[in-house]
Amino acid sequence: MQIMWKTESISIDNEVEACYLINKQSPFSVVRTRNNMKRTISTFFSEQYKTIGLVSPASLPDADEVQATVSFLEAHGHRVILGEHALETGTDPYCCSSIEGRVQDLNRMISDSAVDLIYCTRGGYGSAQLLPFLDFELLAKRGLPVLGYSDISAIHLAMLSRRAGIPVVFPMAAGLRKAMEDDATAQYLASGWDVPQNWILSQVSGELRVREPLTGTLIASNLSLLASLCGTPWLPSFEGAILVLEDVGEKLRILDRHLTQLMLCGILSQVKAVVFGHLTDCQTKSGQLHLLRKFSSLTHKPFFHGLPFGHEAPRMILRSGMQCSICAPDGRKRKVSLSI
């Protein structure tokens, strides 16, 4: 498969073509030819998302990487509006701009009728600070997609709680160039967030076998962010949900602390299953599996791992709030299928 940052199209080998499900709801402009599949240069996102609003709700992004993404999107037919404070040094060294500046940028994009999609530049820290001041009522009326992950989980969870907009797990704008260097990630980007998808996962323990399909609302989040919002009015209902989690750079005891928080506040008792993506730089894989097995046993809930979601390649696209199901195909031990 040939993937280049500034080529006019992406061609996919015939063997891979069967893995794609392209329809009018795909966020990319895609055409199918007799011998291959190409993403055309007309637009990067579909034509319904002509104007992209770039904002920095959390930490300060790399200005050169943001400009590279702006140039890329403009070359592919989009108009890009960069938030006034999106590249502004913060009053706190770990945040972009000020709370007021970041709120102003986000609310401006929500209220600007020309903006079709809001794209966050970077995670880090700071998104939760904005929640009391964002216009979720207008976002609900406009139904705008908001793209990002990691710290942006705070905004995504609040969107679900307010039934406002479309929360989409997507590589950050300041990291798009690097994300597209990975072939598998580029394939996920081409598949879109409303196209049916399927992944094979591994169950961490065989004690709780999946005998009947588990169906529920998919809620995706960074684990640390979710734990930090416990006890606030910004979380959605987790009753019957499939909870999807990832994290980065945490010691196992900190992950244990966060999962204990979710258990004690009742979230883990409400969900049907917990699915883990990448736990990047979170000590050893064996230690991670031991931790997940422990909490699966403590909560009597099935835990799974192996979803390409998080801070390392490959990175998938997920629309939080969609219905999904987990089932065990062909009776395979500890192997299940997650379908969206």
Side-chain angles (χ1 to χ4, degrees), residues 227-264:
S228 73
L229 289 179
C230 288
T232 74
W234 302 105
L235 291 182
S237 169
F238 291 89
E239 191 64 43
I242 307 296
L243 181 59
V244 178
L245 299 171
E246 61 85 24
D247 219 317
V248 59
E250 299 286 6
K251 294 184 182 297
L252 291 174
R253 64 180 177 85
I254 302 300
L255 299 179
D256 192 315
R257 176 187 296 168
H258 294 331
L259 288 169
T260 299
Q261 173 81 347
L262 300 189
M263 182 174 65
L264 295 179

PDB file of all heavy atoms in Angstrom, residues 227-264:
ATOM      1  N   ALA A 227     -11.491   8.726  35.270  1.00  0.00           N
ATOM      2  CA  ALA A 227     -11.402   8.671  36.735  1.00  0.00           C
ATOM      3  C   ALA A 227     -11.466  10.062  37.343  1.00  0.00           C
ATOM      4  O   ALA A 227     -12.078  10.266  38.391  1.00  0.00           O
ATOM      5  CB  ALA A 227     -10.117   7.959  37.151  1.00  0.00           C
ATOM      6  N   SER A 228     -10.852  11.041  36.670  1.00  0.00           N
ATOM      7  CA  SER A 228     -10.827  12.406  37.215  1.00  0.00           C
ATOM      8  C   SER A 228     -12.188  13.076  37.194  1.00  0.00           C
ATOM      9  O   SER A 228     -12.433  14.027  37.947  1.00  0.00           O
ATOM     10  CB  SER A 228      -9.824  13.262  36.448  1.00  0.00           C
ATOM     11  OG  SER A 228     -10.301  13.591  35.148  1.00  0.00           O
ATOM     12  N   LEU A 229     -13.101  12.595  36.351  1.00  0.00           N
ATOM     13  CA  LEU A 229     -14.437  13.202  36.256  1.00  0.00           C
ATOM     14  C   LEU A 229     -15.469  12.493  37.123  1.00  0.00           C
ATOM     15  O   LEU A 229     -16.634  12.924  37.168  1.00  0.00           O
ATOM     16  CB  LEU A 229     -14.911  13.211  34.803  1.00  0.00           C
ATOM     17  CG  LEU A 229     -14.193  14.181  33.859  1.00  0.00           C
ATOM     18  CD1 LEU A 229     -14.759  14.066  32.448  1.00  0.00           C
ATOM     19  CD2 LEU A 229     -14.294  15.617  34.349  1.00  0.00           C
ATOM     20  N   CYS A 230     -15.070  11.421  37.802  1.00  0.00           N
ATOM     21  CA  CYS A 230     -16.012  10.748  38.702  1.00  0.00           C
ATOM     22  C   CYS A 230     -16.509  11.726  39.771  1.00  0.00           C
ATOM     23  O   CYS A 230     -15.725  12.474  40.347  1.00  0.00           O
ATOM     24  CB  CYS A 230     -15.347   9.543  39.374  1.00  0.00           C
ATOM     25  SG  CYS A 230     -15.057   8.155  38.276  1.00  0.00           S
ATOM     26  N   GLY A 231     -17.819  11.691  40.026  1.00  0.00           N
ATOM     27  CA  GLY A 231     -18.398  12.591  41.009  1.00  0.00           C
ATOM     28  C   GLY A 231     -18.789  13.938  40.459  1.00  0.00           C
ATOM     29  O   GLY A 231     -19.304  14.785  41.202  1.00  0.00           O
ATOM     30  N   THR A 232     -18.552  14.172  39.170  1.00  0.00           N
ATOM     31  CA  THR A 232     -18.939  15.436  38.537  1.00  0.00           C
ATOM     32  C   THR A 232     -20.214  15.224  37.717  1.00  0.00           C
ATOM     33  O   THR A 232     -20.588  14.082  37.429  1.00  0.00           O
ATOM     34  CB  THR A 232     -17.824  15.948  37.611  1.00  0.00           C
ATOM     35  OG1 THR A 232     -17.791  15.141  36.416  1.00  0.00           O
ATOM     36  CG2 THR A 232     -16.459  15.901  38.308  1.00  0.00           C
ATOM     37  N   PRO A 233     -20.862  16.302  37.281  1.00  0.00           N
ATOM     38  CA  PRO A 233     -22.073  16.153  36.461  1.00  0.00           C
ATOM     39  C   PRO A 233     -21.780  15.974  34.975  1.00  0.00           C
ATOM     40  O   PRO A 233     -22.687  16.111  34.157  1.00  0.00           O
ATOM     41  CB  PRO A 233     -22.808  17.472  36.706  1.00  0.00           C
ATOM     42  CG  PRO A 233     -21.730  18.462  36.955  1.00  0.00           C
ATOM     43  CD  PRO A 233     -20.640  17.706  37.676  1.00  0.00           C
ATOM     44  N   TRP A 234     -20.523  15.651  34.618  1.00  0.00           N
ATOM     45  CA  TRP A 234     -20.141  15.634  33.213  1.00  0.00           C
ATOM     46  C   TRP A 234     -19.972  14.232  32.643  1.00  0.00           C
ATOM     47  O   TRP A 234     -19.440  14.074  31.543  1.00  0.00           O
ATOM     48  CB  TRP A 234     -18.852  16.443  33.021  1.00  0.00           C
ATOM     49  CG  TRP A 234     -19.016  17.846  33.496  1.00  0.00           C
ATOM     50  CD1 TRP A 234     -18.514  18.393  34.639  1.00  0.00           C
ATOM     51  CD2 TRP A 234     -19.790  18.871  32.872  1.00  0.00           C
ATOM     52  NE1 TRP A 234     -18.900  19.699  34.770  1.00  0.00           N
ATOM     53  CE2 TRP A 234     -19.690  20.024  33.691  1.00  0.00           C
ATOM     54  CE3 TRP A 234     -20.542  18.942  31.701  1.00  0.00           C
ATOM     55  CZ2 TRP A 234     -20.317  21.218  33.371  1.00  0.00           C
ATOM     56  CZ3 TRP A 234     -21.167  20.137  31.389  1.00  0.00           C
ATOM     57  CH2 TRP A 234     -21.052  21.258  32.220  1.00  0.00           C
ATOM     58  N   LEU A 235     -20.448  13.218  33.360  1.00  0.00           N
ATOM     59  CA  LEU A 235     -20.343  11.858  32.857  1.00  0.00           C
ATOM     60  C   LEU A 235     -21.696  11.356  32.356  1.00  0.00           C
ATOM     61  O   LEU A 235     -22.734  11.652  32.953  1.00  0.00           O
ATOM     62  CB  LEU A 235     -19.819  10.922  33.948  1.00  0.00           C
ATOM     63  CG  LEU A 235     -18.360  11.102  34.367  1.00  0.00           C
ATOM     64  CD1 LEU A 235     -17.980  10.075  35.423  1.00  0.00           C
ATOM     65  CD2 LEU A 235     -17.430  11.000  33.167  1.00  0.00           C
ATOM     66  N   PRO A 236     -21.693  10.565  31.273  1.00  0.00           N
ATOM     67  CA  PRO A 236     -22.939   9.972  30.784  1.00  0.00           C
ATOM     68  C   PRO A 236     -23.327   8.769  31.627  1.00  0.00           C
ATOM     69  O   PRO A 236     -22.584   8.341  32.515  1.00  0.00           O
ATOM     70  CB  PRO A 236     -22.563   9.542  29.363  1.00  0.00           C
ATOM     71  CG  PRO A 236     -21.108   9.191  29.472  1.00  0.00           C
ATOM     72  CD  PRO A 236     -20.522  10.182  30.456  1.00  0.00           C
ATOM     73  N   SER A 237     -24.469   8.203  31.332  1.00  0.00           N
ATOM     74  CA  SER A 237     -24.862   6.943  31.962  1.00  0.00           C
ATOM     75  C   SER A 237     -24.017   5.816  31.373  1.00  0.00           C
ATOM     76  O   SER A 237     -23.809   5.734  30.161  1.00  0.00           O
ATOM     77  CB  SER A 237     -26.341   6.661  31.709  1.00  0.00           C
ATOM     78  OG  SER A 237     -26.661   5.336  32.101  1.00  0.00           O
ATOM     79  N   PHE A 238     -23.538   4.932  32.258  1.00  0.00           N
ATOM     80  CA  PHE A 238     -22.758   3.779  31.814  1.00  0.00           C
ATOM     81  C   PHE A 238     -23.568   2.486  31.881  1.00  0.00           C
ATOM     82  O   PHE A 238     -23.018   1.403  31.665  1.00  0.00           O
ATOM     83  CB  PHE A 238     -21.496   3.647  32.666  1.00  0.00           C
ATOM     84  CG  PHE A 238     -20.487   4.736  32.428  1.00  0.00           C
ATOM     85  CD1 PHE A 238     -20.535   5.918  33.159  1.00  0.00           C
ATOM     86  CD2 PHE A 238     -19.518   4.601  31.459  1.00  0.00           C
ATOM     87  CE1 PHE A 238     -19.617   6.931  32.941  1.00  0.00           C
ATOM     88  CE2 PHE A 238     -18.593   5.603  31.225  1.00  0.00           C
ATOM     89  CZ  PHE A 238     -18.642   6.776  31.969  1.00  0.00           C
ATOM     90  N   GLU A 239     -24.842   2.590  32.159  1.00  0.00           N
ATOM     91  CA  GLU A 239     -25.682   1.415  32.298  1.00  0.00           C
ATOM     92  C   GLU A 239     -25.725   0.629  30.984  1.00  0.00           C
ATOM     93  O   GLU A 239     -26.177   1.135  29.955  1.00  0.00           O
ATOM     94  CB  GLU A 239     -27.104   1.816  32.705  1.00  0.00           C
ATOM     95  CG  GLU A 239     -27.987   0.661  33.125  1.00  0.00           C
ATOM     96  CD  GLU A 239     -27.482  -0.036  34.384  1.00  0.00           C
ATOM     97  OE1 GLU A 239     -27.074   0.663  35.331  1.00  0.00           O
ATOM     98  OE2 GLU A 239     -27.499  -1.287  34.391  1.00  0.00           O
ATOM     99  N   GLY A 240     -25.246  -0.618  31.027  1.00  0.00           N
ATOM    100  CA  GLY A 240     -25.280  -1.479  29.852  1.00  0.00           C
ATOM    101  C   GLY A 240     -24.290  -1.120  28.759  1.00  0.00           C
ATOM    102  O   GLY A 240     -24.386  -1.640  27.649  1.00  0.00           O
ATOM    103  N   ALA A 241     -23.307  -0.249  29.052  1.00  0.00           N
ATOM    104  CA  ALA A 241     -22.370   0.215  28.028  1.00  0.00           C
ATOM    105  C   ALA A 241     -21.210  -0.758  27.835  1.00  0.00           C
ATOM    106  O   ALA A 241     -20.932  -1.610  28.690  1.00  0.00           O
ATOM    107  CB  ALA A 241     -21.825   1.591  28.402  1.00  0.00           C
ATOM    108  N   ILE A 242     -20.546  -0.634  26.707  1.00  0.00           N
ATOM    109  CA  ILE A 242     -19.256  -1.270  26.459  1.00  0.00           C
ATOM    110  C   ILE A 242     -18.208  -0.174  26.643  1.00  0.00           C
ATOM    111  O   ILE A 242     -18.131   0.765  25.844  1.00  0.00           O
ATOM    112  CB  ILE A 242     -19.154  -1.868  25.046  1.00  0.00           C
ATOM    113  CG1 ILE A 242     -20.336  -2.809  24.769  1.00  0.00           C
ATOM    114  CG2 ILE A 242     -17.814  -2.564  24.862  1.00  0.00           C
ATOM    115  CD1 ILE A 242     -20.389  -4.036  25.641  1.00  0.00           C
ATOM    116  N   LEU A 243     -17.426  -0.267  27.704  1.00  0.00           N
ATOM    117  CA  LEU A 243     -16.468   0.778  28.052  1.00  0.00           C
ATOM    118  C   LEU A 243     -15.118   0.480  27.400  1.00  0.00           C
ATOM    119  O   LEU A 243     -14.556  -0.605  27.590  1.00  0.00           O
ATOM    120  CB  LEU A 243     -16.324   0.870  29.568  1.00  0.00           C
ATOM    121  CG  LEU A 243     -15.365   1.929  30.120  1.00  0.00           C
ATOM    122  CD1 LEU A 243     -15.776   3.333  29.685  1.00  0.00           C
ATOM    123  CD2 LEU A 243     -15.299   1.835  31.648  1.00  0.00           C
ATOM    124  N   VAL A 244     -14.600   1.441  26.641  1.00  0.00           N
ATOM    125  CA  VAL A 244     -13.332   1.287  25.917  1.00  0.00           C
ATOM    126  C   VAL A 244     -12.331   2.280  26.488  1.00  0.00           C
ATOM    127  O   VAL A 244     -12.600   3.490  26.522  1.00  0.00           O
ATOM    128  CB  VAL A 244     -13.529   1.515  24.407  1.00  0.00           C
ATOM    129  CG1 VAL A 244     -12.206   1.395  23.668  1.00  0.00           C
ATOM    130  CG2 VAL A 244     -14.546   0.526  23.847  1.00  0.00           C
ATOM    131  N   LEU A 245     -11.166   1.795  26.936  1.00  0.00           N
ATOM    132  CA  LEU A 245     -10.211   2.624  27.671  1.00  0.00           C
ATOM    133  C   LEU A 245      -8.801   2.522  27.090  1.00  0.00           C
ATOM    134  O   LEU A 245      -8.427   1.502  26.508  1.00  0.00           O
ATOM    135  CB  LEU A 245     -10.167   2.201  29.146  1.00  0.00           C
ATOM    136  CG  LEU A 245     -11.471   2.325  29.939  1.00  0.00           C
ATOM    137  CD1 LEU A 245     -11.328   1.658  31.298  1.00  0.00           C
ATOM    138  CD2 LEU A 245     -11.870   3.798  30.096  1.00  0.00           C
ATOM    139  N   GLU A 246      -8.039   3.580  27.275  1.00  0.00           N
ATOM    140  CA  GLU A 246      -6.610   3.604  26.940  1.00  0.00           C
ATOM    141  C   GLU A 246      -5.922   4.550  27.903  1.00  0.00           C
ATOM    142  O   GLU A 246      -6.570   5.329  28.594  1.00  0.00           O
ATOM    143  CB  GLU A 246      -6.391   4.057  25.494  1.00  0.00           C
ATOM    144  CG  GLU A 246      -6.895   5.465  25.164  1.00  0.00           C
ATOM    145  CD  GLU A 246      -5.896   6.567  25.496  1.00  0.00           C
ATOM    146  OE1 GLU A 246      -4.685   6.305  25.545  1.00  0.00           O
ATOM    147  OE2 GLU A 246      -6.340   7.710  25.727  1.00  0.00           O
ATOM    148  N   ASP A 247      -4.570   4.476  27.938  1.00  0.00           N
ATOM    149  CA  ASP A 247      -3.821   5.433  28.756  1.00  0.00           C
ATOM    150  C   ASP A 247      -2.369   5.439  28.317  1.00  0.00           C
ATOM    151  O   ASP A 247      -1.947   4.620  27.489  1.00  0.00           O
ATOM    152  CB  ASP A 247      -3.934   5.114  30.247  1.00  0.00           C
ATOM    153  CG  ASP A 247      -4.058   6.378  31.089  1.00  0.00           C
ATOM    154  OD1 ASP A 247      -3.316   7.356  30.813  1.00  0.00           O
ATOM    155  OD2 ASP A 247      -4.892   6.412  32.017  1.00  0.00           O
ATOM    156  N   VAL A 248      -1.604   6.369  28.868  1.00  0.00           N
ATOM    157  CA  VAL A 248      -0.210   6.527  28.458  1.00  0.00           C
ATOM    158  C   VAL A 248       0.627   7.026  29.631  1.00  0.00           C
ATOM    159  O   VAL A 248       0.182   7.879  30.406  1.00  0.00           O
ATOM    160  CB  VAL A 248      -0.087   7.514  27.265  1.00  0.00           C
ATOM    161  CG1 VAL A 248      -0.633   8.889  27.619  1.00  0.00           C
ATOM    162  CG2 VAL A 248       1.353   7.634  26.783  1.00  0.00           C
ATOM    163  N   GLY A 249       1.823   6.455  29.780  1.00  0.00           N
ATOM    164  CA  GLY A 249       2.801   6.975  30.712  1.00  0.00           C
ATOM    165  C   GLY A 249       2.447   6.873  32.178  1.00  0.00           C
ATOM    166  O   GLY A 249       2.923   7.684  32.985  1.00  0.00           O
ATOM    167  N   GLU A 250       1.642   5.887  32.560  1.00  0.00           N
ATOM    168  CA  GLU A 250       1.260   5.734  33.966  1.00  0.00           C
ATOM    169  C   GLU A 250       1.865   4.459  34.547  1.00  0.00           C
ATOM    170  O   GLU A 250       1.957   3.436  33.870  1.00  0.00           O
ATOM    171  CB  GLU A 250      -0.270   5.671  34.107  1.00  0.00           C
ATOM    172  CG  GLU A 250      -1.007   6.902  33.613  1.00  0.00           C
ATOM    173  CD  GLU A 250      -0.868   8.098  34.538  1.00  0.00           C
ATOM    174  OE1 GLU A 250      -0.104   8.036  35.528  1.00  0.00           O
ATOM    175  OE2 GLU A 250      -1.536   9.117  34.267  1.00  0.00           O
ATOM    176  N   LYS A 251       2.246   4.507  35.807  1.00  0.00           N
ATOM    177  CA  LYS A 251       2.687   3.307  36.510  1.00  0.00           C
ATOM    178  C   LYS A 251       1.486   2.415  36.791  1.00  0.00           C
ATOM    179  O   LYS A 251       0.341   2.890  36.853  1.00  0.00           O
ATOM    180  CB  LYS A 251       3.393   3.686  37.812  1.00  0.00           C
ATOM    181  CG  LYS A 251       4.709   4.437  37.610  1.00  0.00           C
ATOM    182  CD  LYS A 251       5.387   4.683  38.925  1.00  0.00           C
ATOM    183  CE  LYS A 251       6.689   5.470  38.731  1.00  0.00           C
ATOM    184  NZ  LYS A 251       7.672   4.710  37.924  1.00  0.00           N
ATOM    185  N   LEU A 252       1.738   1.140  36.962  1.00  0.00           N
ATOM    186  CA  LEU A 252       0.653   0.193  37.186  1.00  0.00           C
ATOM    187  C   LEU A 252      -0.160   0.540  38.429  1.00  0.00           C
ATOM    188  O   LEU A 252      -1.380   0.362  38.448  1.00  0.00           O
ATOM    189  CB  LEU A 252       1.205  -1.226  37.290  1.00  0.00           C
ATOM    190  CG  LEU A 252       1.772  -1.806  35.988  1.00  0.00           C
ATOM    191  CD1 LEU A 252       2.430  -3.157  36.252  1.00  0.00           C
ATOM    192  CD2 LEU A 252       0.672  -1.940  34.937  1.00  0.00           C
ATOM    193  N   ARG A 253       0.486   1.034  39.464  1.00  0.00           N
ATOM    194  CA  ARG A 253      -0.261   1.375  40.683  1.00  0.00           C
ATOM    195  C   ARG A 253      -1.220   2.545  40.431  1.00  0.00           C
ATOM    196  O   ARG A 253      -2.281   2.631  41.067  1.00  0.00           O
ATOM    197  CB  ARG A 253       0.684   1.708  41.833  1.00  0.00           C
ATOM    198  CG  ARG A 253       1.563   2.931  41.632  1.00  0.00           C
ATOM    199  CD  ARG A 253       2.464   3.167  42.836  1.00  0.00           C
ATOM    200  NE  ARG A 253       3.362   4.288  42.623  1.00  0.00           N
ATOM    201  CZ  ARG A 253       3.031   5.558  42.852  1.00  0.00           C
ATOM    202  NH1 ARG A 253       1.806   5.852  43.274  1.00  0.00           N
ATOM    203  NH2 ARG A 253       3.913   6.522  42.637  1.00  0.00           N
ATOM    204  N   ILE A 254      -0.868   3.445  39.495  1.00  0.00           N
ATOM    205  CA  ILE A 254      -1.771   4.549  39.159  1.00  0.00           C
ATOM    206  C   ILE A 254      -2.958   4.022  38.354  1.00  0.00           C
ATOM    207  O   ILE A 254      -4.112   4.437  38.577  1.00  0.00           O
ATOM    208  CB  ILE A 254      -1.027   5.640  38.380  1.00  0.00           C
ATOM    209  CG1 ILE A 254       0.165   6.162  39.194  1.00  0.00           C
ATOM    210  CG2 ILE A 254      -1.969   6.775  38.017  1.00  0.00           C
ATOM    211  CD1 ILE A 254      -0.222   6.758  40.537  1.00  0.00           C
ATOM    212  N   LEU A 255      -2.700   3.102  37.428  1.00  0.00           N
ATOM    213  CA  LEU A 255      -3.809   2.474  36.703  1.00  0.00           C
ATOM    214  C   LEU A 255      -4.717   1.731  37.672  1.00  0.00           C
ATOM    215  O   LEU A 255      -5.959   1.769  37.542  1.00  0.00           O
ATOM    216  CB  LEU A 255      -3.273   1.515  35.638  1.00  0.00           C
ATOM    217  CG  LEU A 255      -2.403   2.116  34.534  1.00  0.00           C
ATOM    218  CD1 LEU A 255      -1.953   1.019  33.579  1.00  0.00           C
ATOM    219  CD2 LEU A 255      -3.142   3.209  33.785  1.00  0.00           C
ATOM    220  N   ASP A 256      -4.123   1.050  38.646  1.00  0.00           N
ATOM    221  CA  ASP A 256      -4.892   0.357  39.681  1.00  0.00           C
ATOM    222  C   ASP A 256      -5.762   1.358  40.441  1.00  0.00           C
ATOM    223  O   ASP A 256      -6.949   1.111  40.708  1.00  0.00           O
ATOM    224  CB  ASP A 256      -3.931  -0.353  40.631  1.00  0.00           C
ATOM    225  CG  ASP A 256      -4.632  -1.330  41.574  1.00  0.00           C
ATOM    226  OD1 ASP A 256      -5.677  -0.963  42.148  1.00  0.00           O
ATOM    227  OD2 ASP A 256      -4.123  -2.455  41.737  1.00  0.00           O
ATOM    228  N   ARG A 257      -5.180   2.488  40.787  1.00  0.00           N
ATOM    229  CA  ARG A 257      -5.938   3.524  41.506  1.00  0.00           C
ATOM    230  C   ARG A 257      -7.133   4.001  40.693  1.00  0.00           C
ATOM    231  O   ARG A 257      -8.240   4.163  41.223  1.00  0.00           O
ATOM    232  CB  ARG A 257      -5.014   4.706  41.814  1.00  0.00           C
ATOM    233  CG  ARG A 257      -5.722   5.892  42.466  1.00  0.00           C
ATOM    234  CD  ARG A 257      -4.787   7.080  42.590  1.00  0.00           C
ATOM    235  NE  ARG A 257      -3.666   6.795  43.473  1.00  0.00           N
ATOM    236  CZ  ARG A 257      -2.581   7.562  43.580  1.00  0.00           C
ATOM    237  NH1 ARG A 257      -2.464   8.643  42.810  1.00  0.00           N
ATOM    238  NH2 ARG A 257      -1.632   7.251  44.426  1.00  0.00           N
ATOM    239  N   HIS A 258      -6.908   4.236  39.391  1.00  0.00           N
ATOM    240  CA  HIS A 258      -8.005   4.718  38.540  1.00  0.00           C
ATOM    241  C   HIS A 258      -9.101   3.663  38.405  1.00  0.00           C
ATOM    242  O   HIS A 258     -10.308   3.983  38.478  1.00  0.00           O
ATOM    243  CB  HIS A 258      -7.466   5.086  37.160  1.00  0.00           C
ATOM    244  CG  HIS A 258      -6.535   6.249  37.155  1.00  0.00           C
ATOM    245  ND1 HIS A 258      -6.607   7.263  38.087  1.00  0.00           N
ATOM    246  CD2 HIS A 258      -5.503   6.572  36.319  1.00  0.00           C
ATOM    247  CE1 HIS A 258      -5.670   8.163  37.826  1.00  0.00           C
ATOM    248  NE2 HIS A 258      -4.982   7.764  36.769  1.00  0.00           N
ATOM    249  N   LEU A 259      -8.723   2.413  38.195  1.00  0.00           N
ATOM    250  CA  LEU A 259      -9.727   1.358  38.073  1.00  0.00           C
ATOM    251  C   LEU A 259     -10.465   1.133  39.388  1.00  0.00           C
ATOM    252  O   LEU A 259     -11.668   0.840  39.392  1.00  0.00           O
ATOM    253  CB  LEU A 259      -9.062   0.060  37.593  1.00  0.00           C
ATOM    254  CG  LEU A 259      -8.612   0.061  36.130  1.00  0.00           C
ATOM    255  CD1 LEU A 259      -7.734  -1.139  35.826  1.00  0.00           C
ATOM    256  CD2 LEU A 259      -9.820   0.097  35.192  1.00  0.00           C
ATOM    257  N   THR A 260      -9.759   1.276  40.495  1.00  0.00           N
ATOM    258  CA  THR A 260     -10.426   1.201  41.806  1.00  0.00           C
ATOM    259  C   THR A 260     -11.457   2.302  41.948  1.00  0.00           C
ATOM    260  O   THR A 260     -12.567   2.086  42.463  1.00  0.00           O
ATOM    261  CB  THR A 260      -9.387   1.285  42.941  1.00  0.00           C
ATOM    262  OG1 THR A 260      -8.481   0.187  42.834  1.00  0.00           O
ATOM    263  CG2 THR A 260     -10.051   1.252  44.299  1.00  0.00           C
ATOM    264  N   GLN A 261     -11.110   3.503  41.475  1.00  0.00           N
ATOM    265  CA  GLN A 261     -12.055   4.625  41.504  1.00  0.00           C
ATOM    266  C   GLN A 261     -13.306   4.302  40.692  1.00  0.00           C
ATOM    267  O   GLN A 261     -14.430   4.538  41.139  1.00  0.00           O
ATOM    268  CB  GLN A 261     -11.368   5.880  40.955  1.00  0.00           C
ATOM    269  CG  GLN A 261     -12.273   7.089  40.771  1.00  0.00           C
ATOM    270  CD  GLN A 261     -12.525   7.850  42.056  1.00  0.00           C
ATOM    271  OE1 GLN A 261     -12.226   7.350  43.144  1.00  0.00           O
ATOM    272  NE2 GLN A 261     -13.074   9.041  41.932  1.00  0.00           N
ATOM    273  N   LEU A 262     -13.114   3.751  39.493  1.00  0.00           N
ATOM    274  CA  LEU A 262     -14.262   3.390  38.661  1.00  0.00           C
ATOM    275  C   LEU A 262     -15.101   2.297  39.311  1.00  0.00           C
ATOM    276  O   LEU A 262     -16.331   2.286  39.188  1.00  0.00           O
ATOM    277  CB  LEU A 262     -13.800   2.931  37.275  1.00  0.00           C
ATOM    278  CG  LEU A 262     -13.000   3.909  36.415  1.00  0.00           C
ATOM    279  CD1 LEU A 262     -12.839   3.350  35.007  1.00  0.00           C
ATOM    280  CD2 LEU A 262     -13.637   5.280  36.371  1.00  0.00           C
ATOM    281  N   MET A 263     -14.446   1.381  40.005  1.00  0.00           N
ATOM    282  CA  MET A 263     -15.166   0.304  40.688  1.00  0.00           C
ATOM    283  C   MET A 263     -15.947   0.842  41.876  1.00  0.00           C
ATOM    284  O   MET A 263     -17.136   0.532  42.048  1.00  0.00           O
ATOM    285  CB  MET A 263     -14.171  -0.768  41.141  1.00  0.00           C
ATOM    286  CG  MET A 263     -14.820  -1.969  41.827  1.00  0.00           C
ATOM    287  SD  MET A 263     -13.616  -3.277  42.195  1.00  0.00           S
ATOM    288  CE  MET A 263     -12.566  -2.441  43.390  1.00  0.00           C
ATOM    289  N   LEU A 264     -15.316   1.690  42.693  1.00  0.00           N
ATOM    290  CA  LEU A 264     -15.975   2.186  43.908  1.00  0.00           C
ATOM    291  C   LEU A 264     -17.117   3.146  43.611  1.00  0.00           C
ATOM    292  O   LEU A 264     -18.081   3.233  44.387  1.00  0.00           O
ATOM    293  CB  LEU A 264     -14.940   2.872  44.814  1.00  0.00           C
ATOM    294  CG  LEU A 264     -13.847   1.964  45.396  1.00  0.00           C
ATOM    295  CD1 LEU A 264     -12.888   2.781  46.251  1.00  0.00           C
ATOM    296  CD2 LEU A 264     -14.463   0.836  46.213  1.00  0.00           C
TER     297      LEU A 264
END
